[in-house]
Structures are given as structure tokens and as C-alpha cells.
Amino acid sequence: MIDLAVVDLSRLQFALTALYHFLFVPLTLGLSFMLVIMESIYVMTRRPIWRTITKFWGALFGVNFALGVATGLTMEFQFGMNWSYYSHYVGDIFGAPLAIEGLMAFFLEATFVGLMFFGWDKLKPVTHLFVTFLVALGTNLSALWILIANGWMQNPVGAAFNTETMRMEVTDFMAVLFNPVAQAKFVHTVSAGYVCAAVFVLGVSAFYLLKGKHKGFAKRSMTVAAAFGLASSLSVVVLGDESGYALTDNQKMKLAAIEAMWTTEEAPAGLTAIGFPSLEDRKTHYEIKIPYVLGLISTRSLTGEVTGILELVAVAEDRIESGVVAYDALERLKANREDVASRAVFEQHRNDLGYGLLLRRYVADPRQATPDQVRMAAWNTVPNVPVMFWAFRIMAGIGFAMIALFATAFVLCTLRKHETKWFLRLALFAIPLPWIAIEFGWIVAEYGRQPWAVEGVLPTFLGASSLTVPQLWTTIIGFTLFYGVLAVIEVSLLLHLIKKGPFAEQEAFPPAAEDDPAAARPALA
């Protein structure tokens, strides 16, 4: 039988490393394109202040970029070390986008990031701008391929189980590439990263203005952040809606859990603005609903239904029973590859094989499962409803707050009222909010997929490696300590650069006196 303690600890370790890694990725995604905007202004105007602005935010980008790369590599190793059967079972599909990400995106970043930092005096301004653009393109292409891989886990299209190899294999790579769930996740995630970077630039600029330092630099940076952030925050909401629409057909249980919808309502369903879901009595207490909104958002119609949790559990029971038939046919095919009758039965039920494997949580052979075990397995397809309900609302609430923040910033910058004290304090304290929203968004996306490592194909508990509990606790403690040190280094470096300010480089090399040859040589301050 499967050691569920090993599975839970493996999940905990991956969740900790993923959440930590995702602290750096959004800022890298957003700052890279903000650097392109700032340097474009410098190339068009040739005003030295914009070169200073670009180099300052580029230095902060560099610190964050390095930490993002270091923590990302750790995650990829975990697929082989902690999730070896997952890698064996679906590695043909999942591994391809990650390999392309390394070849296409990561090499692009690694090649040009050095030129971006050290090529200011060696490249023409237009050439250096092109290099900066390639770095930004690389960071975003990296996110694209990773989210294509993740999107396939959410909606496993373009692949099928091969009875000869007993693994999932690619049947249509274009379907994997243009997976609607992956595309929706990419644009939504990237937009969230842009918001994160815009809030960071806005907050640091507000800090300088509150201190009365570097006002020209801060006002220009704040103006770029306001415009970029307003466009990004609006797109996050719009693209988030599109991502939610993708759940209607592909992940109905996740959508039902997010909305704590226990039973199917008459179309169009109402949206629960607030409530207190309970797993014990399977209902939502004290709920306040907005009529029709959920149906309109999730189905784009007045007649489309949003299926409730109880109905989806019943569907899961039927699919589990069908999956047991597929499992039995597959076992007979293992014994005799030429068994035509068994192959025909398997082909009829193959889409439910993953549901049959859910019974492995309770019994070694799913064919020996009792009706009670089938019901328990069906209820295991329901993620933690209260966690999903509140995580989504915190994420969405912060998203709308970001729109208000950047709309206010845009108006104030347009009116040249950059130094409005109350807003500067608000912008400074708002810096952590995008990260909070992004982390809760990750919880909604990944925790909401449970119990599946790959939706409907491979249960999470079957994907783990044969490790021991002490081994996992050792690595979890080690990662926590190591990542804690990295976090201190990251924050210290960022604060050090911010404290030095954008003109530290110019101050290190004071202008030379024309009549003093000795002073004409650069002197370190």
C-alpha cells in the first residue's frame, strides 16, 4: 500500500519550493518589460536621466533574476527525485515543454543578460535596447513553456495512454501547445507579474518622494509604473475571467469548489460574494449571492449550467466504476497482448482509467474495492472547499484593489501631483499585496487540481517516489534553512541598492576639473 505520509511530505516540499520560487518570477517578468519601456524612452529622447532610471531598475532586476534561476533549478530536480513515477508515466509529454524552455528561453536569457548589464558602453543605444528586449522576451517565453507544461496537467489534451509502454505519450503536440487552459493561464500569470513589478516600482518611487530624495527620478519612474500598472491590472481581471471560463468545460470540480456550489442551480447561477462553506454538512452558511453573475461569467450565456459538487461526485462514482473495468482489461492485456476482446473493452473505457486508479488509495487492486471505497474515492475528487473559496476571493479582491490603486496613480501623475502624501504612503504599504494575490492564485490553481497530478489521468499519490519520511523531513528542513538565507540575502541586496539610490554610480566618479590632469582620472569615492 502507498505511504500517504510520504506523499503528503512530498507535496509539502514541492509546495514550499514552488511558492518560494514564485516570489521572484512575477517581478522578473514585469521588470524586464518595464526596462524595455524605460530604455526606449532613453533611446528616443537621449536624456541621461532615463539611462540612469533604466540602469537602476535593471540592477534590482538582476538580483531578483539570479534568485529566480537558482530556485527554479531546484524545482526541476524534484520531478526526478520526489516524483519519479510521475516523471516516468507522463514524462514524454510534460518533459517536452520544459526541454524547449531550456533551449529556447533560458539560453536566450543567459546569452543576453550579460550584454544587458555590461554592454552599456560597448553597444550602440539601439543595439543595447534590442538586447534588453531579448532578455525580456526570454523571461516571458520561459513562462510560456512552463505554463504549457502546467496547463497540460490541468487539461491533458494531445496525449493518450499507450498499452504497449504503459505510459502516457504525445499524440498531437499542436494540441498540447495550443491548449486553451495553458494559453489562458499564461496571459493571466504574465499580467499578474506585470502588476507585481509596477507596484514594486511605484512603491519604491513613493519611498523616495516621501524622503524628499531623487524627485526627478522618482516622478518619472512613478509615471511609467502608473501607466504600465493600470493596463496590467485591467488585463489581469479580464484575462482572469477568461481563465475562469476555461474551467467550465475542463475543470468543473475546481470551479464548483471555488464557488462553494454544492448543488446545481437553475441557470444562470448566482455568484456567492461571501459565505462560510462547511465540509462537514456540505453546505455554505450565511451566503450572500449576486443573482445570475456566476452563470454569465462561467458559461457566457443565460442558459448554461454550472454543475454542483454533489452532482459531480455522482459523476465521479460512475467514472470510477468505468475505470475499474478499464483497469481489469489492462491487466488482462498485460498477460496477453493479443487479447482482442480485452483491448476492445479497454478502448471503450480508457478515458476513465485514471478514475479507477483513485481506488489505489484504499486497496492494492481496484477490482477488489467495495462500494464504500468507491464512494470515498469519489469524494476525494473534491478539493478543500473553504480553502478554495477564500483563496480565490482574497486573490480577486486584491486584483480589484490594484485597479483602484493604479487608476488613482495615473490620475495623480497626469495632474502632476506625484507628491500627494496619503497616496505615497498607500503605494508604499501596497508593495506586498500583489505577491499575496499571486501566491493565493497558485493555491487556487494547484491545490484546486487535487487529487490529480494530471487531471483525470494520474492521482497525485501515485506519482511520488519511494522515499522515507526521515529523508523528506531532512530535505524540507534543509530547503527551508537554505531558502531562508537566500531570502535574507535577496532582501538585503534590494534594500542596499535602494538605499544607495539611482545616482550612486555617478557619485562614485565625480566630474574632473578641466585644469587638473590628475583629477581627470576617475577617482573612487
Side-chain angles (χ1 to χ4, degrees):
M1 294 297 293
I2 295 159
D3 188 345
L4 293 179
V6 170
V7 176
D8 289 340
L9 287 174
S10 296
R11 287 179 60 194
L12 174 63
Q13 180 176 305
F14 195 86
L16 290 173
T17 53
L19 288 168
Y20 186 81
H21 174 61
F22 217 57
L23 291 173
F24 308 105
V25 172
L27 186 57
T28 298
L29 290 173
L31 266 183
S32 63
F33 268 116
M34 291 190 75
L35 292 177
V36 173
I37 294 171
M38 293 167 179
E39 191 170 353
S40 296
I41 299 173
Y42 166 65
V43 170
M44 288 186 291
T45 64
R46 298 301 173 96
R47 298 185 64 184
I49 183 64
W50 284 105
R51 174 179 164 128
T52 300
I53 289 171
T54 306
K55 293 185 75 173
F56 174 77
W57 295 114
L60 298 178
F61 166 84
V63 173
N64 194 76
F65 176 82
L67 267 293
V69 170
T71 54
L73 291 174
T74 303
M75 288 182 61
E76 296 212 15
F77 280 116
Q78 286 186 74
F79 289 117
M81 297 176 68
N82 291 52
W83 301 97
S84 58
Y85 188 73
Y86 168 85
S87 299
H88 165 77
Y89 197 71
V90 300
D92 281 3
I93 310 103
F94 185 79
L98 294 185
I100 295 172
E101 184 262 339
L103 293 171
M104 178 187 291
F106 188 71
F107 284 177
L108 183 66
E109 294 173 84
T111 300
F112 289 100
V113 73
L115 289 173
M116 187 184 83
F117 286 120
F118 303 110
W120 279 99
D121 299 319
K122 298 176 176 63
L123 300 173
K124 294 180 179 179
V126 174
T127 305
H128 190 275
L129 172 60
F130 183 63
V131 167
T132 304
F133 170 75
L134 289 177
V135 172
L137 179 64
T139 61
N140 283 261
L141 281 176
S142 181
L144 172 64
W145 289 107
I146 289 170
L147 289 169
I148 285 174
N150 181 267
W152 183 81
M153 296 169 69
Q154 311 279 348
N155 181 35
V157 296
F161 182 81
N162 188 329
T163 56
E164 299 299 321
T165 61
M166 297 294 164
R167 304 166 64 206
M168 294 291 293
E169 295 179 357
V170 176
T171 58
D172 184 355
F173 187 68
M174 288 297 103
V176 176
L177 181 60
F178 294 104
N179 184 348
V181 172
Q183 301 304 319
K185 283 175 68 66
F186 169 69
V187 292
H188 180 57
T189 302
V190 167
S191 296
Y194 295 169
V195 171
C196 188
V199 169
F200 179 72
V201 173
L202 189 73
V204 174
S205 301
F207 170 76
Y208 285 137
L209 290 174
L210 285 170
K211 292 291 184 180
K213 298 167 59 177
H214 315 306
K215 290 187 177 182
F217 165 88
K219 289 179 180 179
R220 288 172 174 85
S221 297
M222 184 176 174
T223 301
V224 172
F228 188 76
L230 180 58
S232 301
S233 58
L234 288 170
S235 66
V236 164
V237 174
V238 173
L239 297 171
D241 171 66
E242 187 64 29
S243 185
Y245 178 60
L247 297 179
T248 307
D249 294 325
N250 302 301
Q251 292 181 297
K252 295 182 178 181
M253 184 63 82
K254 181 188 288 188
L255 177 61
I258 287 172
E259 297 303 330
M261 179 171 284
W262 297 96
T263 58
T264 303
E265 296 182 9
E266 184 179 348
L271 175 72
T272 303
I274 193 170
F276 297 91
S278 171
L279 289 173
E280 294 182 1
D281 50 14
R282 296 170 184 172
K283 63 184 295 187
T284 303
H285 300 280
Y286 309 111
E287 61 181 355
I288 299 174
K289 285 204 169 190
I290 305 173
Y292 306 148
V293 173
L294 178 60
L296 292 171
I297 291 174
S298 58
T299 69
R300 304 285 199 271
S301 72
L302 292 169
T303 57
E305 279 190 344
V306 179
T307 311
I309 293 172
L310 297 176
E311 287 79 1
L312 291 171
V313 169
V315 172
E317 282 193 43
D318 292 338
R319 296 196 67 177
I320 289 169
E321 292 171 356
S322 173
V324 172
V325 176
Y327 182 89
D328 177 62
L330 188 60
E331 290 298 306
R332 286 188 275 120
L333 277 174
K334 288 181 183 179
N336 179 13
R337 302 283 185 177
E338 306 302 322
D339 189 340
V340 178
S342 296
R343 188 171 297 277
V345 171
F346 178 77
E347 291 298 327
Q348 183 179 357
H349 296 272
R350 66 181 304 148
N351 291 337
D352 297 323
L353 176 63
Y355 280 83
L357 295 175
L358 288 170
L359 292 168
R360 291 286 303 277
R361 184 184 181 99
Y362 304 105
V363 60
D365 188 341
R367 293 170 294 186
Q368 298 175 357
T370 64
D372 285 341
Q373 289 171 329
V374 170
R375 280 191 291 273
M376 287 190 293
W379 272 101
N380 285 339
T381 62
V382 183
N384 190 307
V385 177
V387 170
M388 294 291 292
F389 182 86
W390 286 109
F392 176 80
R393 276 150 184 78
I394 292 171
M395 177 192 69
I398 293 175
F400 284 108
M402 290 299 100
I403 294 176
L405 178 74
F406 284 113
T408 305
F410 188 79
V411 171
L412 291 175
C413 290
T414 302
L415 298 175
R416 299 187 180 277
K417 294 184 178 180
H418 297 78
E419 297 184 65
T420 305
K421 297 294 184 182
W422 66 266
F423 178 77
L424 295 178
R425 295 189 185 94
L426 180 64
L428 185 59
F429 287 114
I431 290 178
L433 292 180
W435 274 276
I436 294 171
I438 286 168
E439 297 294 322
F440 275 109
W442 185 90
I443 291 171
V444 170
E446 302 306 307
Y447 191 57
R449 190 181 66 244
Q450 297 306 316
W452 303 107
V454 180
E455 182 79 25
V457 170
L458 179 67
T460 301
F461 62 82
L462 287 180
S465 302
S466 299
L467 300 173
T468 64
V469 170
Q471 287 174 330
L472 285 164
W473 272 120
T474 300
T475 54
I476 288 172
I477 293 170
F479 277 134
T480 302
L481 293 174
F482 179 62
Y483 280 174
V485 172
L486 288 181
V488 172
I489 294 172
E490 154 93 357
V491 174
S492 298
L493 285 173
L494 292 178
L495 292 177
H496 174 68
L497 290 171
I498 292 170
K499 183 179 179 181
K500 285 176 64 177
F503 300 104
E505 183 178 327
Q506 291 91 322
E507 292 167 358
F509 299 97
E514 294 182 3
D515 58 348
D516 185 359
R521 294 191 297 271
L524 290 174

